[in-house]
Structures are given as C-alpha cells and as structure tokens.
C-alpha cells in the first residue's frame, strides 16, 4: 500500500504528458500551415505586379514604335504632296505662257487677215476700173510699201517715242495699272538685233526676271519705254518675281532714261 502511494503521482504525470504531446504537435503543425498561407498571397501579388510591369513596358514600347511608323508615313505623304504641288505650279506657269503666246499669234493672224482682205478689195477695185496699179506696187502686184509685221524692229534706243506713262509717279502708275488689269495684253515680241541691253540696270530686274523678259522677246530699253498701260498690266501679272515693281518703280520711266544713256533714276 505504501509502495502504490509513492508510484501513483508519477503515473498521473506520465498520462498528462502523453496527452499534451499530441496537442502541442498539432498546434505547431497548424501554425506552420498558417504562415505558409500568409506568405503565398504576398508572393502571388509580387509576381502579378512584376508581370503587369513587364506587360506595361511592352505595350509602351509598341505604342512608341507605332507612333514612329505613323510619323514616317506622314512625312512621306507630305513630301509627295509638296512634289505634286511643285509639278502643278510648273504646269500652270507653262500653260499661262503657252496661252499668252497663242493669244499673240491669233492677234497677229487676225491683223494679217484684215490687211490682206483690204488689199484684195483694193486690187479688185483697181482691176474693175482698169486703172494702173499703185506705183509702190511691184510688177507682180504686191505692195512693196506694205508695213511689215516686224516694223517695230526699226525702232531703236535712238529714235523711240517714250510712252506718256514715263511722267507718272509710282502711285499713279499703280492705280492706272490695276485699273487696266482686265484689259491686259502682252507686248509685241522682238527678235534681237545686235547685242541686247543690260536689263539688270532696271531697279526690280534680277537674273530670273531678265531671262523671262528675254523669253518674251524683250531685249531693249526702248521696248519697255514705249509700253502701254495694258502691256504694263500684263507684265506685272506674269513676271516671275515682284511683278508689282513694274508699276511701283515705273519701269517705263527708268527705261526711258536708260535708253537715253542716263541713270535709271536720273
């Protein structure tokens, strides 16, 4: 009996320890599982953020590349449009020159036809009256005194008659020219007889304008000094650059002086 009383406390303690050990093991296992669960969302969140950043960077690079392609395409279209505009401008200028030449040729032909018609009527009248031909006519009946279409070529810087426009001021020339725009007509063309005048001496005439004037058959000061207001209006409208200088700086007055051997602004 005394022996059992001494052993009994140890048996109770062993029973309690045996029951406590499984409990502690279970608690430890449960704590570890919760810690893993807490760490997993954080890992997934980090991976999601990283993936989103990579995708955003890829999208941004693709957008920049797309904009660059669009810019290159627009620059090409702009260059093509400018080239087309230049071609159209050149074609328009050529058409305007051709039209002016055609208009001048038509006017010349009409003048010639009117003259020939008048000569035919006259010769028919002479034949009907059995009158002798005009002494100025040749043996073949052709009037040798008939004014040549190139009669203007006989005019030089020494014998020309200045246009009345030479006495106008720049403001007066401008007003008169603008009023005559609707009646503008090209000046007569002239083939060069001897060395041409240096048209660069005219204020407002540069190399480009000089070349263009020569293309229109204008080589001498007296040609500009004898222009009519309608011809001045035509020059101002068709001159390649600074057409308004024709009347604002009164080229007629300048060329009158230059043809006489004086300074343009003398």
């Amino acid at each position: 009996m005394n022996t059992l009383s001494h052993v009994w406390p140890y048996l109770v303690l062993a029973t309690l320890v045996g029951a406590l050990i499984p409990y502690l093991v279970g608690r430890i296992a449960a704590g570890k599982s919760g810690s893993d669960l807490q760490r997993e969302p954080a890992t997934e969140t980090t991976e999601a953020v990283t993936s989103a950043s990579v995708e955003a960077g890829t999208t941004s690079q693709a957008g920049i590349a797309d904009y660059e392609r669009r810019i290159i395409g627009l620059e090409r279209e702009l260059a093509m449009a400018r080239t087309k505009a230049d071609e159209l401008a050149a074609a328009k200028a050529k058409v305007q020159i051709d039209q002016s030449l055609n208009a001048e040729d038509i006017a010349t032909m009409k003048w010639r036809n009117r003259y020939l018609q008048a000569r035919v009527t006259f010769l028919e009248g002479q034949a009907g009256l059995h009158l002798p031909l005009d002494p100025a006519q040749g043996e073949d009946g052709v009037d040798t005194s008939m004014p040549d279409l190139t009669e203007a070529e006989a005019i030089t810087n020494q014998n020309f008659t200045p246009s009345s426009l030479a006495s106008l001021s720049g403001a007066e020339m401008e007003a008169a020219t603008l009023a005559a725009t609707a009646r503008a007509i090209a000046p007569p063309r002239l083939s060069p007889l001897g060395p041409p005048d240096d048209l660069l001496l005219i204020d407002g005439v540069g190399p480009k304008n000089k070349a263009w004037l020569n293309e229109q058959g204008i080589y001498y000061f007296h040609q500009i000094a004898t222009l009519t207001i309608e011809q001045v209006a035509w020059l101002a409208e068709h001159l390649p650059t600074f057409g308004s200088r024709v009347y604002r700086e009164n080229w007629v007055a300048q060329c009158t002086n230059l043809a006489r051997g004086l300074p343009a602004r003398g």
Side-chain angles (χ1 to χ4, degrees):
M1 183 68 179
N2 292 333
T3 302
L4 290 174
S5 62
H6 288 290
V7 174
W8 185 80
Y10 293 104
L11 292 175
V12 173
L13 181 60
T15 301
L16 291 174
V17 170
L20 183 61
I21 288 173
Y23 172 77
L24 293 174
V25 171
R27 292 292 295 174
I28 292 171
K32 182 178 181 181
S33 176
S35 176
D36 292 342
L37 290 175
Q38 290 176 354
R39 285 197 300 271
E40 288 179 358
T43 301
E44 292 177 356
T45 302
T46 302
E47 293 176 352
V49 170
T50 302
S51 176
S53 300
V54 172
E55 291 178 357
T58 303
T59 302
S60 177
Q61 293 177 354
I64 293 173
D66 182 58
Y67 280 126
E68 290 178 348
R69 285 194 297 271
R70 291 184 181 180
I71 291 172
I72 293 173
L74 291 174
E75 289 177 345
R76 289 177 180 173
E77 292 181 6
L78 179 59
M80 293 175 63
R82 287 175 175 171
T83 301
K84 188 65 175 178
D86 292 340
E87 292 175 353
L88 291 175
K92 181 180 178 181
K94 185 177 184 302
V95 168
Q96 288 178 342
I97 293 174
D98 291 343
Q99 287 178 345
S100 65
L101 294 179
N102 291 337
E104 182 180 350
D105 292 341
I106 291 172
T108 301
M109 291 177 64
K110 287 182 177 179
W111 184 91
R112 183 71 174 182
N113 289 339
R114 287 196 300 270
Y115 173 80
L116 292 176
Q117 182 63 42
R119 292 301 302 162
V120 168
T121 303
F122 172 77
L123 292 175
E124 288 177 346
Q126 293 278 45
L129 295 174
H130 302 284
L131 296 176
L133 295 178
D134 192 303
Q137 295 174 344
E139 295 181 357
D140 56 356
V142 177
D143 189 354
T144 58
S145 66
M146 181 182 69
D148 191 353
L149 292 178
T150 60
E151 184 180 358
E153 295 180 357
I155 301 175
T156 67
N157 288 346
Q158 286 71 41
N159 62 4
F160 74 98
T161 301
S163 169
S164 59
L165 301 176
S167 61
L168 299 181
S169 65
E172 292 171 335
M173 275 286 288
E174 180 174 5
T177 302
L178 296 179
T181 300
R183 309 189 308 276
I185 184 172
R189 301 174 67 87
L190 179 65
S191 300
L193 298 174
D197 291 331
D198 185 6
L199 301 183
L200 293 176
L201 296 176
I202 305 171
D203 289 344
V205 174
K208 187 174 183 179
N209 282 342
K210 176 186 176 183
W212 183 85
L213 287 170
N214 290 162
E215 290 174 0
Q216 310 312 309
I218 299 175
Y219 298 94
Y220 303 102
F221 297 134
H222 70 78
Q223 290 178 269
I224 299 176
T226 57
L227 292 177
T228 65
I229 192 62
E230 291 80 11
Q231 292 166 349
V232 169
W234 189 90
L235 281 183
E237 183 178 359
H238 292 84
L239 202 70
T241 57
F242 306 111
S244 62
R245 300 189 72 173
V246 178
Y247 50 83
R248 288 181 179 173
E249 300 185 21
N250 198 338
W251 285 11
V252 174
Q254 288 191 55
C255 288
T256 298
N257 291 332
L258 291 169
R260 292 171 173 171
L262 302 173
R265 299 289 189 177

